[in-house]
Structures are given as C-alpha cells and as structure tokens.
Amino acid sequence: MVVGRRMLLQWLMITAALTLQLAILAGGEYFKPFNVSYDHRAVIIDGKRRMLISAGIHYPRATAEMWPDLIAKSKEGGADVIETYAFWNVHEPIKGQYNFEGRYDIVKFAKLVGSSGLYLLLRIGPYVCAEWNFGGFPVWLRDIPGIEFRTDNAPFKEEMQRFVKKIVDLMRAESLFSWQGGPIIMLQIENEYGNVESSFGAKGKAYMKWAAEMAVGLGADVPWVMCKQVDAPEYIIDACNGYYCDGFRPNSQNKPMLWTENWDGWYTSWGGRLPHRPVEDIAFAVARFFQRGGSLMNYYMFFGGTNFGRTSGGPNQITSYDYDAPIDEYGLLSQPKWGHLRDLHAAIKLCEPALAAADSAHYIKLGPKQEAHVYRGNIRSHGQNISLYEICSVFLANIDEHKSASVTFLGQVYTLPPWSVSILPNCRNTAFNTAKVAAQTSIKTVRFDVPFLKDGSFLAQSTIQEKVAHISESWLSLEEPIGVWGDNNVTFQGILEHLNLTKDLSDYLWYTTRVYVSDEDVLFWEKNEIRPTLKIHSMRDMVRIFINGKLAGSAKGKWIKVVQPVQLTEGYNDIVLLSQTVGLQNYGAFLEKDGTGFRGPIKLTGCKSGDVDLTNSFWTYQVGLKGEYERIYAPDQSMNSRWNELPHGAMSSIFSWYKTHFDAPAGTDPVALDLSSMGKGQVWVNGHHIGRYWTLAAPKNGCQQTCDYRGAYDSDKCATNCGEPTQVWYHIPRSWLQKSDNLVVIFEETEKTPFDVSIKLRFSETICGQVSEKHYPPLDIWSDPEIKDGKLSESDMAPLMNLKCEDGYSISSIEFASYGTPKGRCQVFALGSCHASNSLSLVSEACKGRNSCSVQVSNAVFGDPCRGTVKTLAVQARCSSSSSSSSAMK
C-alpha cells in the first residue's frame, strides 16, 4: 500500500471535521440531546463510534472552587470524559437527610463538566472502595436489623435501590443525561463485585443479577457498566480495572472494551513509601489498550486530591490522595506525566477515524516480541463529490522489556525502544512513541511566604527566615481530659464494639474500668521483680493504655494481640483504654461485620492469685473528645475561657489542643501546612477539618535510586521517601482562607508542641526539557494546511522544546542550556563532549521573562557543533513570580 497525497489530505479533512464538530459542541451550554449506545467495537455517541479518554476526578476530594480549573486542565490534557463516583456516606450522613452542598454538590460538578464540553461517566456504585471511609457506605447502614451488605439481602437491597434511584432521579430532574442534552453518557452499578462475589455463594450471583436489573429499570436510558464482573448480564458492559487492560476482553462479542480504572499511581498508607508509576509505562499501557481494540480508558486518578476531614479509608490511608496523578493534590500539573499523556492522547485522536471505521485490527507479527495492529477503513467524504476514501493508522509495539528493535512495516524501517509503542496515524509517519518523552519536567517545591527585595534576592538572614517560617510565635493551649469527661457516657458490663457506640462520629472511644490491687499482689511483684501485664486478645486500629491517668503504652495494627506491662499501686487503679480508628475498612466482603476496637478477652496477668479477666467487668464508655463535643475548633467557639497562653519551653503534655491565628500568604499559589514537627492528631482551619496527620516514617529500605520504566509495574516499583515521614504537608484550600486572622486549631496526641508549625506555598520552581533532534515533530503539525507533498517528513520538520511556568510565573533565569551531547538529568545536567557555545544565550533570548517559550531543536538554530552526531537540547530554567521577576529586572 502507498500512502499518497490524496489519501493523507482526505485523512486530514476527516480529522479537521471531527475537531470542528467537537468545538461546536463545546461552544454551547451543554449539548444538543444525543443518544448513547455501543457495539462490539466502541461506545457510540450520537450515531458515531468514539475512542474516549476519561479523567478521574472525585468531587469531594477538592473544593467546588477548584473544580473549574481541574476540569479545564483535564480537557487541555486531552480528556473527552470526566469520571467520578457518587459518595453515599457524604450525601446521606443520616438516614433520610441529604447533603448536596459545597464540595458535595454533585449536580454543580456535573454541570461544570457539561459546560466545559466534556462527557461524564458517573459511577454510582453505591459501594465505591476508593480508599474512602467505609467504602462510601454510611455507617448507619450497618445498624439496620438483619442487614448484610452486597448480597441477596432484602434490607440492604432496599436501601441501595433507594440511594441509586435518588441519584438517577436527581440527574434526570436536572436534565443531565445525554438524551436531555446533558453530559452523562454512562453509569456504573456496583464496583469490582467480581472480586468478592464468590464469598457470598449463590446469594452473590443473585444479588449481582438483581443489581443489574434494578439499575436498568430506573430509566436512565444510557449504558450501564459493571467493572471486574466477568458474569455481567448481556445488557451490562463488563469493564476492566488494573495497571494493564490490553489483554482484557468483555464477556460478549456485542460489547466494547472499556477500561474503567487505569491505575496511573497508587494510594499510600501511614508509615508507607510513596509510589510512583513512570509515565512511559502508563503511556505504553494506554497505547496497547487502544492498539488491541479498546474504546474507552479512564485514568484512576487524573486528579487525586485530598481526604479532607475523616474521609480517608483503609484503614490507615493518609490524608493526601495525590495518587501520583497527572494533576497533583494541589491542582498543579505533574510534569512530565501530564504533558506526555497529553501528547499521547493527541496521537490517539489522530488515529480515531481509522480506529472507529475498522471493525477490528489486522494483526502482523513483526518479530519475536514485536507486532503491528493496522486499522483501515473507508470514510465517506461530504464534499461536492460524495465518495469513499481509505484511511489507515497503525500501532507498532515492542514488548521486549530490555532491547530496542528495528522492524519493517510497508517497506519502511522503524526503530522501537524497549517496552514501547509507536503510533503512526497515517500508516507511514511516526507521530508519537510512548518511551520518548518530550514534555518538560517540573520540580515542585514549597517555600515560605518570604518578602522579595527590589534587587531580586530573598531575605537570607536566618533570624528573619525563622520568624517568617513559623505560622505564629504565640499559641494558646488547652488540655484534653483523659477518660470520662461528660455526662453523656454509658456504663455496661462487658466489652462493646467501637462503632456500635461512636457511629463513626469520632475516631475516639474511651473504655474505663477500675481494678483493686491488694498489698499481697504488690509484695508478690516486688519479691519476684516482675510487673503485671495487660493483655488484649485482638485490637484494631490503635489503642492507648492509661493507668491512673498516665500513659503506659500504645499499639497499632489490624486485629493484633496487645501485651502491655503496667505499673499498679495498692488499692483501686483506673484503667483507661482509648480505642482509635484511622479510617474504616473500605475493601472486602462483609464490611458490616468488620468493626473496630477490641475482640476477645482483656486480662490482667501476673497477679498472685492468677489472671484477672476484665472482659466482663463494668466499663464506662465515653465517645469522642471533649474538645470535639464543644467544637472548640470552630471560629464561633474560639472565646472558650479555658484556653491558656503556651509559654516557649513549657513542659508539654499529651492530648492537648493548640490554636493561633495567621494571615493568608499573598498571591494564588496553593497553601500547605507543614506539620513535620508534630506527632499525631487532627487539624482545622477556620472550622474546616483539614484531616488527620501523623509523622509516621516509612521503612528505610525499598526505594530505588533510579526508576526503570521497562517491564510490568507494581506499587513497590519506583517508590520514594524511604526513612522519611509519609506525609508532612497538608493542603489548605485557598477558598477556606480569609485575608487575615485565620484560625488554626490542632489536636495533638503526643508531647509535641506547635511552635515549629509553618505555612508554605507550593509551586514548580525548576523546569527542565531534554529533546533530541531525532524526536518527532510537534503533533499540531499534522493538521497544518500547508502540507503539499502528501506526506509528513520527520527530517524536514524539527522537533520543539516547550517550556512553561505555572500561571502567574515567568522564566527568570536559564540555569543550564546545552545543544550537543549533554549528560545527566534535570537538576544534575552537565556538559558533554559536544556543546554549542551559543546554547545559553539563544535559549535565554527565547525564554527569559516569558511564561512559556518554544525552542526549535535543530542545527538551523544552534549550528552544528559536532557533525555526524545526534544532538540533544537540554535546558534547566527557574520560574519566579511574574511580579517578582519584573521587580528583579528593573
């Protein structure tokens, strides 16, 4: 086959027409009403097969003020669809009482998606998993008599149907379905149920069928999906979740390949390392999915966000849900991940006409681990002379994890790096390779809100830096009582389950009892030089043990045995056990039975007369903290007279509340609270619950010096942060701050004091690019109307290096620039044996003082410093606030 001028021009016309159609659609408030269906090949929107890129954004993990920017950045990154769950426990915290306000306003979120010209994939569940507290179930659900979750159980099915119907009816009432002109093109019922279905036997199969029938019967009139459900009914699309889904096939030849969760990172637990998934591997997985017949792929997550308040699940999931996503927790682009995936999406979109036209790919084996999937089809031209034109796109894959390979396709030789896919939208010219990253790298940092001097330098004096760094020099403190603190306690004979009492309104539950110690016991311990031991048969998530008001010890884990030596005195001794949750279980079967707190006997061992079984003693239970109950973190409760000035150098005590006020940093940079100096607790700003904090450190081993993208990924590959606290920075959304007099309240469980707590700004200060002259030309060249020879020539079209600071910043300096054979990587670049001496001056002229710049990577710009050698341009630049840069340049 010969790809000539006529064929290429027809292909360009089709692509341009599709782009124009999308632009017209995006211009309206939402859409003209359209139907959504599917066949074996693709999702069909308004009668046309589509290849869809979806970006996962969970609306409660950001503020409503952040949503427009997140959606816009997703669209700019190439997304057609936004995906989210519907979170039952935030919408119905009390049975029959609904909350759709603030960051829980799912209708507003859906409308923003539609007004941006994007579609919405709404995964109602209502079980969501998502490392979200209790998997999204409201805790009151477990108190319904006779209930069993996610099985053929009448009480559960009644409640589940009521909530799913509530969401569907709400979307219909707001005209948000596609056939109403809204953005919703697809819904999901249940979530990864296939992972647990066998645990319920025949009742599991019956429940799955019921859920499918119930969902379809609600009249949403868009396709429904079940992920990880190989036995999904014929009228439900079964979909794949995982790191790789190119080998997935739906359970019917009448269904398209959908990938509802492409795990582009992973979640993190307290005391864990930070996972990172290389973008080359993500791009490889996505390209392979579309190469082998995929139709819709959703990134889980495109923006991860924050587990504000007590919404993190697990247990032990951290407050950050950054997920190493293309858009980070603060709403900033993670580069090169976002940029490389944007380029990938553009290349796939160039292939969409051929992918949609072909019923299947033509497979060609090119080598032992190399293959091609060719998509050809006929497209009708709607010009003056209506006729059919053939189009062709091909994906060339090298699945060898170690070696590059040269392959021949249609008489032309292509070199494929290991573990990579090259995309040829016209079956001749390479537009993109998954292993060749041209996108910039951005190094994020945090900085204090330090004033900028007119000469462009920051204040460096340590005394001033220290003063600026700390959030406040003046703090107030208030001690939290240990044990019973109010009249709203209950006394019961025996050990009660934690959640049965707290209803998850607090992490904390106090268990208090009293034991009598005789003088004979004391003499027995002294004579034998031993101490009695408190033994708890089984405990989760955390317990702190107090004896006579003093902390004796603590333990953490999931249903672990606790053995704690204690110091008792003659007479009556108060034993106080503080049971703590750190997020409720969010995954697995029988969640309603999981519980937390204590199981089995609690005994005092080592006594002269034998063990003392405390299990059936009378215990007094107190739910929560007194400070929580009095809402002392709220601005309207800030005048509590029990607060005292906290002197510098004062003896600190455990279980203390601290508060102060601070002014918001100037500008629009995202704000982080640095709690690296604290221990464990919770924090509020202006009454908003930021979340839990814990400076638990990750293991010292298990991290890699370098990250090799090649080969299958798992969450232990490419981990970082070994030996360091898992999380020290906590996001304070700008919309939660006022210009001055912001109230911060910290509840600290350990003896740490807050004097070193600081406010920092998060931004990308250093940006780098590294592009070879053999890299591919910019993707937008494919729609260039000036193409006259009928084919794209890579040799005649030089690649570009694109650099961009964040909005409000500009390139203040070029710290390194070399066209030739530079060595190293961002932040450690070095000159190689070949270097164009004009590199720094030319790049500085093109970029300095600008928010963004483009530099052509070619001898035509820099000259040829070493003939016969493939040259690379490497640049490292510094971004500064545009106002600061302007001041510095005066």
Side-chain angles (χ1 to χ4, degrees):
M1 175 184 176
V2 177
V3 181
R5 180 175 184 271
R6 184 181 181 189
M7 174 182 167
L8 181 58
L9 291 177
Q10 289 300 322
W11 173 86
L12 288 170
M13 288 170 59
I14 294 162
T15 305
L18 178 60
T19 304
L20 179 61
Q21 181 184 13
L22 292 175
I24 292 172
L25 278 176
E29 184 178 358
Y30 300 121
F31 305 91
K32 294 180 179 179
F34 62 96
N35 291 322
V36 181
S37 60
Y38 57 87
D39 61 12
H40 71 285
R41 180 63 187 96
V43 176
I44 299 173
I45 294 180
D46 200 21
K48 299 178 179 64
R49 287 178 177 172
R50 292 299 311 277
M51 304 296 128
L52 298 171
I53 305 294
S54 175
I57 300 175
H58 295 163
Y59 54 94
R61 285 177 159 141
T63 61
E65 290 79 4
M66 293 174 66
W67 294 342
D69 184 60
L70 297 174
I71 294 168
K73 287 176 177 174
S74 300
K75 182 176 181 178
E76 185 184 354
D80 309 290
V81 183
I82 299 295
E83 171 273 337
T84 188
Y85 286 120
F87 294 82
W88 189 357
N89 53 8
V90 303
H91 291 308
E92 194 178 6
I94 300 173
K95 185 177 179 179
Q97 297 182 24
Y98 294 97
N99 182 3
F100 293 100
E101 303 297 324
R103 71 178 195 273
Y104 306 144
D105 192 344
I106 189 174
V107 169
K108 179 178 181 179
F109 181 78
K111 289 182 176 180
L112 285 170
V113 171
S115 63
S116 299
L118 300 180
Y119 304 126
L120 181 64
L121 165 56
L122 180 58
R123 305 170 72 191
I124 301 177
Y127 167 72
V128 301
C129 186
E131 293 72 60
W132 188 263
N133 195 51
F134 212 37
F137 287 133
V139 172
W140 57 258
L141 198 64
R142 68 195 296 272
D143 295 331
I144 295 175
I147 198 165
E148 295 178 16
F149 290 6
R150 304 177 74 195
T151 188
D152 190 13
N153 171 266
F156 177 77
K157 292 193 296 184
E158 179 181 349
E159 295 300 327
M160 173 179 168
Q161 180 171 354
R162 185 175 58 82
F163 178 74
V164 175
K165 185 177 185 299
K166 174 76 175 181
I167 297 299
V168 171
D169 288 350
L170 181 62
M171 298 298 109
R172 185 190 296 110
E174 297 288 342
S175 298
L176 291 170
F177 287 111
S178 62
W179 48 272
Q180 299 173 298
I184 298 176
I185 61 169
M186 197 172 292
L187 299 170
Q188 179 179 298
I189 192 68
E190 253 299 334
N191 189 43
E192 296 187 338
Y193 188 66
N195 290 352
V196 299
E197 182 178 322
S198 61
S199 301
F200 301 101
K203 293 180 70 176
K205 175 75 75 173
Y207 163 74
M208 184 276 296
K209 292 182 177 178
W210 168 85
E213 293 174 359
M214 179 271 293
V216 172
L218 294 175
D221 292 334
V222 295
W224 284 85
V225 177
M226 282 182 163
C227 60
K228 284 196 170 184
Q229 196 67 50
V230 297
D231 56 351
E234 180 66 25
Y235 51 87
I236 299 284
I237 307 173
D238 57 310
C240 182
N241 291 355
Y243 292 120
Y244 308 93
C245 282
D246 56 288
F248 168 78
R249 296 295 178 270
N251 63 6
S252 167
Q253 294 182 353
N254 299 318
K255 302 177 185 180
M257 280 174 59
L258 305 185
W259 190 358
T260 38
E261 292 186 16
N262 175 4
W263 302 331
D264 53 13
W266 200 243
Y267 57 82
T268 311
S269 302
W270 298 113
R273 307 171 190 88
L274 299 181
H276 299 279
R277 188 177 178 192
V279 69
E280 299 94 329
D281 179 64
I282 303 171
F284 173 78
V286 174
R288 288 286 285 167
F289 176 72
F290 285 100
Q291 174 180 7
R292 300 184 66 187
S295 172
L296 179 149
M297 181 281 309
N298 173 63
Y299 289 105
Y300 189 100
M301 304 293 299
F302 207 72
F303 163 80
T306 307
N307 294 316
F308 295 114
R310 299 172 51 252
T311 58
S312 60
N316 291 314
Q317 303 303 320
I318 67 173
T319 297
S320 171
Y321 200 66
D322 183 88
Y323 214 83
D324 195 35
I327 304 174
D328 77 4
E329 175 185 5
Y330 298 83
L332 302 177
L333 301 183
S334 293
Q335 298 281 31
K337 184 168 281 191
W338 183 89
H340 192 54
L341 295 178
R342 173 202 57 199
D343 293 344
L344 166 68
H345 304 155
I348 291 172
K349 288 301 176 184
L350 291 171
C351 300
E352 185 171 14
L355 291 171
D359 281 338
S360 62
H362 174 59
Y363 174 80
I364 304 173
K365 188 171 181 62
L366 300 174
K369 294 185 177 181
Q370 295 77 37
E371 59 189 25
H373 288 72
V374 186
Y375 289 87
R376 290 192 179 96
N378 294 315
I379 296 294
R380 185 178 298 275
S381 169
H382 294 282
Q384 292 182 350
N385 298 316
I386 298 177
S387 58
L388 294 178
Y389 293 92
E390 185 182 34
I391 53 174
C392 178
S393 294
V394 64
F395 293 72
L396 306 178
N398 179 15
I399 58 176
D400 192 308
E401 299 179 17
H402 306 290
K403 298 178 181 178
S404 295
S406 293
V407 300
T408 301
F409 174 72
L410 295 182
Q412 188 165 325
V413 178
Y414 299 88
T415 300
L416 307 175
W419 200 253
S420 77
V421 177
S422 283
I423 300 176
L424 287 65
N426 61 359
C427 280
R428 183 177 181 86
N429 301 95
T430 304
F432 182 87
N433 178 272
T434 59
K436 295 185 176 183
V437 180
Q440 73 180 44
T441 295
S442 298
I443 306 298
K444 297 193 182 93
T445 187
V446 294
R447 63 174 172 85
F448 304 123
D449 187 28
V450 182
F452 197 92
L453 294 181
K454 291 183 178 180
D455 63 0
S457 63
F458 286 101
L459 293 173
Q461 297 91 336
S462 60
T463 54
I464 298 178
Q465 178 83 340
E466 189 74 11
K467 182 178 179 181
V468 174
H470 297 156
I471 191 171
S472 176
E473 294 296 315
S474 175
W475 287 82
L476 299 179
S477 67
L478 186 155
E479 289 191 17
E480 175 68 28
I482 303 298
V484 175
W485 50 260
D487 296 332
N488 55 343
N489 61 75
V490 295
T491 299
F492 188 83
Q493 186 175 7
I495 300 297
L496 299 179
E497 195 273 328
H498 182 115
L499 286 178
N500 285 340
L501 287 171
T502 67
K503 309 303 181 186
D504 198 38
L505 296 176
S506 172
D507 283 354
Y508 307 96
L509 177 63
W510 301 94
Y511 295 65
T512 302
T513 192
R514 178 168 287 186
V515 62
Y516 183 79
V517 173
S518 67
D519 57 348
E520 294 180 350
D521 281 319
V522 174
L523 290 172
F524 174 75
W525 295 329
E526 292 176 348
K527 180 180 179 180
N528 292 280
E529 296 182 344
I530 60 173
R531 292 170 63 187
T533 300
L534 185 72
K535 292 186 177 180
I536 302 173
H537 177 74
S538 186
M539 179 281 307
R540 70 171 295 181
D541 301 332
M542 188 169 187
V543 63
R544 296 191 188 273
I545 300 168
F546 297 87
I547 304 296
N548 297 323
K550 295 183 178 180
L551 181 65
S554 60
K556 58 182 175 63
K558 182 177 180 180
W559 299 125
I560 62 169
K561 186 175 183 178
V562 178
V563 179
Q564 176 62 53
V566 294
Q567 185 72 46
L568 300 177
T569 60
E570 182 180 347
Y572 286 101
N573 291 259
D574 290 329
I575 297 177
V576 176
L577 307 180
L578 176 60
S579 170
Q580 295 180 233
T581 57
V582 193
L584 302 186
Q585 187 75 25
N586 62 259
Y587 178 79
F590 312 113
L591 283 180
E592 75 282 1
K593 300 176 183 177
D594 190 70
T596 188
F598 309 124
R599 287 178 180 172
I602 298 177
K603 295 182 178 181
L604 189 63
T605 65
C607 299
K608 181 179 180 181
S609 56
D611 295 348
V612 178
D613 192 343
L614 302 176
T615 310
N616 293 315
S617 298
F618 282 92
W619 292 82
T620 299
Y621 297 87
Q622 180 78 63
V623 175
L625 307 172
K626 185 176 182 180
E628 282 182 307
Y629 180 77
E630 294 180 347
R631 297 179 62 253
I632 63 174
Y633 50 79
D636 60 359
Q637 301 296 320
S638 63
M639 301 306 294
N640 190 306
S641 61
R642 293 185 292 123
W643 289 99
N644 297 302
E645 190 76 27
L646 179 66
H648 283 267
M651 290 291 292
S652 56
S653 61
I654 62 170
F655 280 61
S656 294
W657 294 85
Y658 302 106
K659 77 170 183 177
T660 193
H661 291 80
F662 67 97
D663 294 341
T668 59
D669 290 329
V671 179
L673 187 65
D674 185 345
L675 295 174
S676 57
S677 62
M678 303 303 287
K680 180 181 182 295
Q682 299 180 41
V683 60
W684 292 259
V685 172
N686 292 331
H688 298 283
H689 197 171
I690 301 300
R692 303 181 182 96
Y693 68 87
W694 198 354
T695 50
L696 203 60
K700 293 184 178 180
N701 55 13
C703 294
Q704 297 79 31
Q705 289 284 342
T706 58
C707 177
D708 189 345
Y709 77 89
R710 298 173 299 179
Y713 177 80
D714 62 61
S715 59
D716 291 327
K717 183 179 180 181
C718 300
T720 63
N721 209 54
C722 286
E724 300 294 331
T726 306
Q727 183 175 358
V728 296
W729 299 326
Y730 296 81
H731 182 205
I732 307 176
R734 278 280 182 177
S735 60
W736 290 359
L737 294 175
Q738 52 202 28
K739 187 175 181 180
S740 61
D741 202 32
N742 293 280
L743 172 68
V744 58
V745 177
I746 298 173
F747 174 66
E748 171 60 48
E749 299 177 18
T750 75
E751 295 179 343
K752 301 286 188 178
T753 57
F755 288 110
D756 289 332
V757 171
S758 61
I759 288 287
K760 294 179 180 177
L761 300 176
R762 186 172 174 87
F763 74 112
S764 297
E765 184 177 37
T766 299
I767 58 175
C768 298
Q770 194 169 12
V771 179
S772 163
E773 63 176 331
K774 292 298 184 182
H775 203 87
Y776 309 115
L779 285 160
D780 57 11
I781 204 71
W782 285 78
S783 58
D784 189 339
E786 299 300 318
I787 297 174
K788 297 180 179 180
D789 60 1
K791 61 182 180 180
L792 294 175
S793 174
E794 295 172 11
S795 62
D796 294 334
M797 297 182 184
L800 289 179
M801 173 182 288
N802 296 303
L803 296 175
K804 187 179 189 305
C805 297
E806 292 160 12
D807 292 342
Y809 282 77
S810 59
I811 297 171
S812 56
S813 63
I814 303 298
E815 299 181 334
F816 180 89
S818 177
Y819 178 72
T821 57
K823 301 175 182 178
R825 62 185 185 278
C826 189
Q827 295 186 300
V828 288
F829 283 132
L831 297 179
S833 58
C834 170
H835 167 68
S837 59
N838 59 356
S839 302
L840 183 61
S841 61
L842 289 176
V843 173
S844 296
E845 182 181 356
C847 298
K848 193 172 179 181
R850 295 177 172 85
N851 171 259
S852 62
C853 63
S854 297
V855 180
Q856 190 180 92
V857 184
S858 71
N859 294 335
V861 175
F862 296 95
D864 191 347
C866 43
R867 295 184 182 278
T869 299
V870 175
K871 271 75 68 179
T872 293
L873 175 62
V875 175
Q876 179 171 315
R878 178 177 296 273
C879 295
S880 300
S881 170
S882 296
S883 57
S884 300
S885 298
S886 299
S887 299
M889 294 172 68
K890 291 179 180 178

